[in-house]
Amino acid sequence: MTELQIRRATPEDVEAMAQIVCDWEAATEWMDSAYGPEEISGFIREAMPEREMWVAGDPIEGYLSYDPKATRVGGLYCRKSGQGLGKALMDKVKEGRDVLWLTTHEPNLKAQKFYKREGFVEVSRHDAEPPETVREVRMEWRR
């Protein structure tokens, strides 16, 4: 097996990253798809200068977006779970940091289990900001 490649995302990666989000939303019964690939690509492109974005695999199989000013993981999406992609991306963003936080969706028990394995603890639950409608769970990690 070849070593998993983790690298900083570039503008050329945006469409692949957006497609991963769209595919996840389409495959997730409880998640409404409020935006299409073009809009999601626009959001990623707009956020790219302010965020650290990491991609896994070649072709891209997963990505993580991190806002260093807020110490927040804004998104972690992988085409398939159980492949070590999410762990590799999370390990990368933890490097040199002492605290991170994120939100995940209440019904996404698989993600919550993964984050707990990664050392995150639940700190609160709240309604999502529109246009999202699915309640969220805030989780924090400290070294």
Side-chain angles (χ1 to χ4, degrees):
M1 184 173 152
T2 60
E3 187 178 324
L4 181 61
Q5 179 188 9
I6 303 290
R7 64 174 175 77
R8 286 294 286 262
T10 67
E12 290 76 29
D13 299 322
V14 169
E15 287 180 21
M17 294 160 67
Q19 192 59 55
I20 291 170
V21 175
C22 289
D23 292 347
W24 177 82
E25 287 179 345
T28 305
E29 179 180 306
W30 46 263
M31 189 69 195
D32 288 330
S33 298
Y35 303 105
E38 299 79 25
E39 291 95 347
I40 293 172
S41 289
F43 297 145
I44 294 170
R45 240 186 268 300
E46 185 178 308
M48 196 169 255
E50 303 296 321
R51 306 251 172 102
E52 283 183 26
M53 294 188 185
W54 299 94
V55 293
D58 184 20
I60 296 169
E61 294 292 323
Y63 86 91
L64 183 144
S65 174
Y66 173 72
D67 181 342
K69 288 180 185 170
T71 68
R72 179 177 187 241
V73 174
L76 172 58
Y77 292 90
C78 297
R79 286 202 184 284
K80 298 176 189 169
S81 61
Q83 307 284 314
L85 300 172
K87 171 134 184 64
L89 288 162
M90 192 59 73
D91 287 349
K92 188 65 169 172
V93 79
K94 285 177 177 177
E95 288 177 5
R97 297 197 165 86
D98 294 323
V99 64
L100 299 171
W101 70 277
L102 55 81
T103 59
T104 187
H105 300 97
E106 242 180 32
N108 198 346
L109 301 178
K110 199 172 182 180
Q112 291 170 46
K113 186 177 177 181
F114 166 76
Y115 293 130
K116 285 177 185 172
R117 278 196 317 267
E118 288 299 307
F120 284 79
V121 294
E122 179 179 330
V123 294
S124 65
R125 292 178 181 242
H126 57 272
D127 290 333
E129 292 183 24
E132 298 285 328
T133 57
V134 180
R135 283 183 52 85
E136 295 178 335
V137 178
R138 180 179 168 131
M139 303 182 83
E140 294 179 358
W141 171 84
R142 295 183 190 282
R143 184 169 307 281

